[in-house]
């Protein structure tokens, strides 16, 4: 294995999707190969190889309004604690700076220890929840749909900038749905090991819970959902109906902290996509 000072960062292409999937599978993340292909085709994805094996990655995905997201920061177990992730994130930051982009990311507790010293500031605390076996599933149940344009508008109100390409890609897949119930809307999409609900946008925690309950009763799980920690009634409603909190994570912004525009959603997209 190469020494720490000798590894080279390379830019990856769509053909590296299977190798990227091996890394995210090792980390027990929920990405599938279609997710990797999207990031590799639309973003800047950097990596490190040990011979022919891909051992580390990081991706920069530009959004609108001069914002971008860093994600897919992965290092195989035998290459950790060698500052590989730090160098990859530094390279993503450099690419963002050259393009005049403000960078965001979602960090696990271990990841936050890497990103904080690089200049990232926490903006939002989140929780990853899982539901294994919902009761009363009725595959025949259908839910009203939400248009991609309307969903993107709700997302912009919550995030403060547009993620249209990402949401259009996820919502347009054969196994995805954008559904609504009253004033609540949600994206439902497939993952490697579980279906993922999110983003979810609603005006009250009751309407958000009603929609989530309808979704999990409409098809088989297991399910993942990422919720804003400050929405205590929403979190309590989920855990009271069988959801369990897997782990905390936090949204971070490079530079000083700023408030997100609009009213915070009851649930947001997962840490690996932002």
């Amino acid at each position: 294995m190469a020494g720490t000072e000798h590894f080279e960062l390379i830019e990856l292409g769509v053909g590296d999707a299977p190798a990227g999937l091996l890394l995210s599978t090792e980390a027990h993340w929920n990405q599938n190969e279609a997710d990797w292909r999207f990031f590799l085709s639309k973003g800047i994805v950097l990596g490190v190889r040990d011979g022919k094996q891909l051992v580390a990655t990081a991706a920069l995905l530009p959004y609108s309004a001069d914002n971008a997201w860093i994600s897919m920061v992965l290092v195989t177990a035998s290459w950790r604690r060698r500052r590989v992730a730090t160098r990859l994130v530094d390279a993503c930051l450099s690419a963002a700076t050259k393009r005049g982009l403000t960078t965001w990311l979602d960090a696990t507790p271990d990841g936050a220890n890497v990103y904080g010293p690089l200049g990232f500031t926490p903006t939002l605390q989140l929780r990853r929840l899982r539901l294994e076996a919902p009761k009363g599933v009725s595959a025949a149940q259908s839910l009203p749909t939400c248009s991609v344009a309307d969903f993107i508008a709700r997302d912009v109100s919550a995030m403060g900038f547009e993620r249209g390409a990402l949401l259009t890609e996820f919502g347009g897949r054969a196994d995805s749905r954008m559904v609504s119930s009253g004033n609540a809307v949600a994206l439902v999409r497939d993952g490697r090991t579980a279906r993922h609900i999110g983003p979810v946008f609603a005006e009250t925690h009751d309407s958000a819970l009603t929609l989530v309950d309808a979704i999990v009763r409409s098809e088989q799980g297991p399910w993942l959902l990422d919720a804003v920690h400050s929405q205590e009634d929403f979190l309590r409603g989920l855990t009271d109906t069988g959801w369990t909190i897997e782990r905390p994570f936090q949204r971070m912004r490079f530079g000083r902290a700023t408030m997100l525009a609009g009213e915070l959603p009851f649930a947001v997209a997962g840490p690996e996509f932002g």
Side-chain angles (χ1 to χ4, degrees):
M1 185 185 302
T4 303
E5 66 277 12
H6 298 304
F7 64 81
E8 179 184 3
L9 304 189
I10 58 173
E11 187 164 351
L12 305 177
V14 175
D16 292 300
L21 182 61
L22 288 176
L23 279 177
S24 56
T25 299
E26 177 189 344
H28 306 292
W29 287 8
N30 198 42
Q31 277 81 13
N32 54 33
E33 189 167 323
D35 299 331
W36 274 100
R37 290 186 180 279
F38 174 77
F39 274 82
L40 287 160
S41 63
K42 301 299 183 182
I44 301 167
V45 185
L46 304 175
V48 175
R49 296 191 197 279
D50 183 7
K52 293 184 178 180
Q53 181 187 2
L54 184 65
V55 297
T57 60
L60 177 72
L61 183 65
Y63 289 142
S64 65
D66 298 328
N67 288 276
W69 216 271
I70 293 177
S71 62
M72 303 299 198
V73 182
L74 291 155
V75 182
T76 195
S78 61
W79 272 70
R80 291 171 192 165
R81 294 181 174 84
R82 300 174 63 186
R83 297 184 58 80
V84 180
T86 299
R87 277 195 56 188
L88 284 164
V89 173
D90 269 339
C92 288
L93 285 172
S94 178
T97 299
K98 290 178 182 178
R99 292 162 175 78
L101 301 174
T102 298
T103 49
W104 301 74
L105 54 77
D106 287 342
T108 63
D110 286 344
N113 293 330
V114 174
Y115 307 133
L118 294 177
F120 284 89
T121 305
T123 64
L124 192 64
Q125 296 292 326
L126 303 120
R127 297 293 181 267
R128 163 65 57 89
L129 294 99
R130 186 178 184 93
L131 182 65
E132 289 292 348
K135 297 179 180 179
V137 172
S138 175
Q141 181 180 355
S142 62
L143 292 167
T145 60
C146 173
S147 72
V148 174
D150 288 346
F151 197 90
I152 291 173
R154 295 287 290 271
D155 188 68
V156 170
S157 178
M159 292 295 298
F161 54 85
E162 184 180 308
R163 305 184 295 173
L166 178 73
L167 295 174
T168 300
E169 160 70 16
F170 286 167
R173 294 178 184 174
D175 53 19
S176 297
R177 298 187 289 159
M178 287 182 174
V179 296
S180 65
S181 176
N183 61 45
V185 297
L187 169 63
V188 183
R189 57 185 172 84
D190 211 9
R192 183 180 61 86
T193 63
R195 295 282 278 166
H196 198 117
I197 302 174
V200 177
F201 304 116
E203 295 177 8
T204 67
H205 74 272
D206 285 335
S207 59
L209 288 168
T210 296
L211 178 55
V212 170
D213 182 68
I215 291 169
V216 301
R217 291 182 182 277
S218 68
E219 58 177 290
Q220 298 289 337
W223 295 95
L224 294 176
L225 184 150
D226 300 323
V228 178
H229 180 54
S230 61
Q231 301 289 0
E232 295 178 357
D233 291 335
F234 181 60
L235 274 171
R236 188 180 305 110
L238 292 172
T239 55
D240 285 348
T241 55
W243 290 81
T244 58
I245 297 176
E246 281 196 335
R247 58 179 171 85
F249 63 99
Q250 60 188 25
R251 183 147 296 165
M252 306 181 80
R253 178 186 186 275
F254 187 70
R256 65 183 181 87
T258 59
M259 292 299 295
L260 297 177
E263 184 174 313
L264 291 178
F266 282 99
V268 296
E272 293 78 32
F273 295 110

